[in-house]
Amino acid sequence: MLVSQLKAFFTVARLGSVTLAAKHLGLSQPTVTTQIRALEEHYGVELFRREGGRLLISDAGVLLMPRVDQLLQQEIDLEFALRNAGELQRGSLRIGATAPYYVLSIVQRYRQRFPQVEITLAAGNSRQMIDALQEYRVDIATSSHLEDDPRLHRLELGADPLALVAHRDHPLARLAQVRLSALAGCHLLMRERGSMTRQLTEQMLARAKVQPLSCMEIASREALREAVIRQMGVSIFAANEVCEHPDLRVIPLTGMANDEAAPLVREYLYCLKDRRDSRLIDSFLLACRHKD
């Protein structure tokens, strides 16, 4: 019970919000509030105070934070050690992925060799997956961001050029190639901030000085695809991210600034260096390298 209460306190303090902490922990807001209040009442300490509608950590809470961080890290390390114990044929591996078409083929090969290893796969954008890895919520993560953090081990999985995705009835869908300037007359559907595809798209448009007719943000690849199918606009994807559909056309982009090629979306696989040699992670990295 104490560890759960401390975890609630630490998460609220780190995120600055009971609502965000509850979502992060998979608990209800009243449960998180009750856990913190019980901790405060039992030890007679004030961990938070409210000022002008804001939740502020107290001096006592600030002093407690690094010690709770150490405790929770020990819990995570113990949990990982247990999942990684025993024979390689068993255990559990948590993977965070941005682009399924790379990681799913690796998971398929891995499961053929180690069918009894339990695998969970979480999805999100590049920033979310790196955060999940650094917060020990996943053991392995894929991301389009090139991270230079010395704590991380990295493999490159592949690279794909950005391409236009349009409904088959859209005027641009009849073309073999689309000049970037043509997007000035389009309603452009874009990923959320934190997505590498979004970042590269904005950089590409800015360099070519192209301003779409309008932009709409949709925070998932699947929802973007559905919006294009419903003819709500066009979008830009990494070429191989678009699943086949009779109503969709994937068209190469040309006309970038300085006659450059369309930007490549690179996909990397990351793990923490201090866990690089664990049997589950090491065997997954081998599956990445050996495709046969």
Side-chain angles (χ1 to χ4, degrees), residues 138-155:
V138 298
D139 305 312
I140 290 171
T142 68
S143 170
S144 298
H145 284 286
L146 179 61
E147 302 286 341
D148 293 322
D149 191 323
R151 297 173 298 172
L152 300 179
H153 174 76
R154 181 181 72 239
L155 291 177

Side-chain angles (χ1 to χ4, degrees), residues 157-199:
L157 299 179
D160 292 292
L162 291 181
L164 186 72
V165 183
H167 190 275
R168 63 177 182 175
D169 293 333
H170 193 281
L172 296 179
R174 298 191 295 268
L175 303 177
Q177 295 180 321
V178 172
R179 290 191 63 82
L180 197 60
S181 58
L183 297 186
C186 294
H187 299 285
L188 183 61
L189 310 174
M190 302 180 71
R191 288 286 303 274
E192 75 285 2
R193 297 192 183 280
S195 159
M196 179 54 71
T197 300
R198 165 75 173 263
Q199 180 179 322

Side-chain angles (χ1 to χ4, degrees), residues 235-281:
S235 190
I236 294 177
F237 278 57
N240 287 336
E241 286 184 350
V242 187
C243 298
E244 290 188 11
H245 190 282
D247 289 336
L248 294 180
R249 299 291 182 269
V250 181
I251 313 144
L253 288 167
T254 63
M256 266 61 70
N258 302 319
D259 294 325
E260 296 172 351
L264 292 176
V265 179
R266 300 184 184 277
E267 192 73 3
Y268 304 98
L269 183 138
Y270 292 94
C271 69
L272 295 171
K273 280 186 178 177
D274 61 4
R275 291 183 171 177
R276 163 69 181 81
D277 295 327
S278 71
R279 60 188 186 84
L280 288 173
I281 291 176

